[in-house]
Amino acid sequence: MPDLIAIGEPLVEFAAESAGRLGDVDRFRAGWGGDTANFVLAAARLGGACGYVTRVGQDSFGAAFVAMLETHGVDASRVKTDAEHHTGLYFVTYSEEREHRFDYVRRGSAASHLSGADIDLDYVAGARVLHVSGISQAISGSSADAIRLAMEIARKAGTTVSYDANVRPVLGERETLRRNFEAAVALADIVFVSEDDAAHLYGDTSLETVLDRIVGERPRLAVAKLGADGCLIRSEAEERCRVPAWRVDAVDATGAGDAFSAGFVLSLLRDAELAEAGRYANAVGALTASGVGAIAPQPSHAEVTALMDEQSPGLR
Ligand code: KDG
């Protein structure tokens, strides 16, 4: 049984190799993305025992995705192949100012047909951590139901529930995304948000207040991912901890937040203190942002500790 499982949608990724709009760029690097897939692969690369739950199409993409999971040691026994629907994909382009844009081909995808029937209760209950996200909820009503079921099972079984808001405005109305977020917060133990997530859901409300409100509900931890500014952790013990970022040359932030969350959760599983988990997660996110694509640049545990030792000897 894996320690850590995630549920959601994997995507074939085409990441632009130069700045420009879709249509102007002529070279794309093919890879993999999908926020929960990014999470689970990052955790596996860092040494975690992981499993993934999803539906892929009965197409070359689906078969290649399963093979890729297996190559990385991720349990794919709960990945179903759907003969009727395709595996989703997306293009990543960016402007000269490094503003990223995602264009998806995912409507009606195999993963958007996830439902409660795809959730193996014992698999969820047997894991130490379940990780899901706002994207997993937003891709369809049946997927949102499946996520809710999995979170409820995890909660009853004492499996830690990790939830990343990952708000994608293109996937739904603000009200629906906020409802999904609040439903998940009521069932989660650890909640991750970015500044953009918080701003889209709660407008001008300060990030500190958003974190306080989250911890005022059920979660014992709320973590704001601040990219080049590191992270801010709020615990139920009313402790606030700001952890600065490591210095790297960032090239492409796609998936860096998902890898951050994986590093944070894995670090806690390894009994790290909060600040230590924040430092480790910042290093995982920073190294992921140093290469093109969501999954290809994800670091190993040794690469993460090497960065930490190089920039702050003796302090992990
Ligand atoms: O966090 C990165 C993800 O957003 C990216 O890999 C694609 O899952 C994706 C999505 O739905 O945006």
Side-chain angles (χ1 to χ4, degrees):
M1 280 289 210
D3 282 337
L4 216 151
I5 63 172
I7 310 178
E9 173 157 43
L11 295 170
V12 178
E13 176 184 81
F14 295 96
E17 291 195 340
S18 56
R21 287 179 308 189
L22 197 62
D24 295 335
V25 178
D26 58 3
R27 291 183 69 86
F28 288 86
R29 190 170 304 177
W32 300 101
D35 67 335
T36 49
N38 301 340
F39 176 99
V40 87
L41 282 149
R45 181 117 177 83
L46 295 168
C50 302
Y52 196 48
V53 181
T54 190
R55 297 177 75 85
V56 293
Q58 197 174 53
D59 46 35
S60 314
F61 302 125
F65 179 72
V66 170
M68 192 270 296
L69 283 183
E70 287 168 348
T71 303
H72 287 83
V74 176
D75 177 42
S77 60
R78 270 51 173 198
V79 177
K80 291 197 184 155
T81 300
D82 181 328
E84 317 261 312
H85 307 103
H86 65 94
T87 307
L89 61 91
Y90 75 126
F91 288 82
V92 185
T93 47
Y94 61 93
S95 66
E96 297 292 350
E97 295 73 39
R98 293 255 157 211
E99 284 281 319
H100 279 71
R101 180 189 159 100
F102 297 158
D103 285 278
Y104 305 108
V105 184
R106 70 177 346 165
R107 196 173 306 236
S109 67
S112 71
H113 286 83
L114 265 169
S115 73
D118 297 312
I119 307 300
D120 175 337
L121 312 193
D122 294 336
Y123 196 65
V124 173
R128 293 175 70 194
V129 176
L130 165 72
H131 179 79
V132 291
S133 77
I135 296 176
S136 322
Q137 293 170 301
I139 52 176
S140 71
S142 69
S143 180
D145 291 345
I147 297 306
R148 180 175 191 88
L149 174 68
M151 290 174 102
E152 285 170 351
I153 295 164
R155 188 174 165 173
K156 278 195 200 117
T159 299
T160 295
V161 179
S162 159
Y163 174 78
D164 196 327
N166 269 347
V167 174
R168 298 291 179 269
V170 71
L171 294 181
E173 298 293 326
R174 185 191 308 257
E175 274 312 306
T176 313
L177 300 179
R178 192 158 45 201
R179 247 197 329 274
N180 284 346
F181 178 76
E182 287 169 0
V185 163
L187 291 167
D189 298 290
I190 306 173
V191 173
F192 297 95
V193 289
S194 68
E195 286 172 291
D196 286 350
D197 295 338
H200 189 74
L201 295 173
Y202 297 112
D204 288 339
T205 310
S206 75
L207 198 55
E208 283 79 2
T209 306
V210 172
L211 298 187
D212 289 349
R213 282 192 197 154
I214 292 170
V215 172
E217 298 292 324
R218 179 175 186 266
R220 60 184 163 86
L221 284 177
V223 184
K225 301 186 280 185
L226 307 175
D229 291 323
C231 63
L232 176 62
I233 308 166
R234 169 75 158 85
S235 73
E236 68 187 343
E238 297 203 12
E239 188 190 332
R240 246 190 221 143
C241 164
R242 195 173 276 276
V243 187
W246 304 96
R247 293 176 305 281
V248 292
D249 289 326
V251 179
D252 175 10
T254 309
D258 306 323
F260 168 99
S261 303
F264 191 86
V265 168
L266 201 63
S267 199
L268 290 185
L269 277 187
R270 292 172 175 160
D271 295 326
E273 302 287 329
L274 288 183
E276 198 181 336
R279 282 195 291 275
Y280 187 85
N282 281 344
V284 176
L287 289 167
T288 304
S290 320
V292 175
I295 288 174
Q298 290 174 345
S300 63
H301 176 71
E303 287 164 335
V304 174
T305 53
L307 174 74
M308 296 169 79
D309 288 344
E310 183 192 305
Q311 294 192 12
S312 213
L315 179 67
R316 281 188 194 165

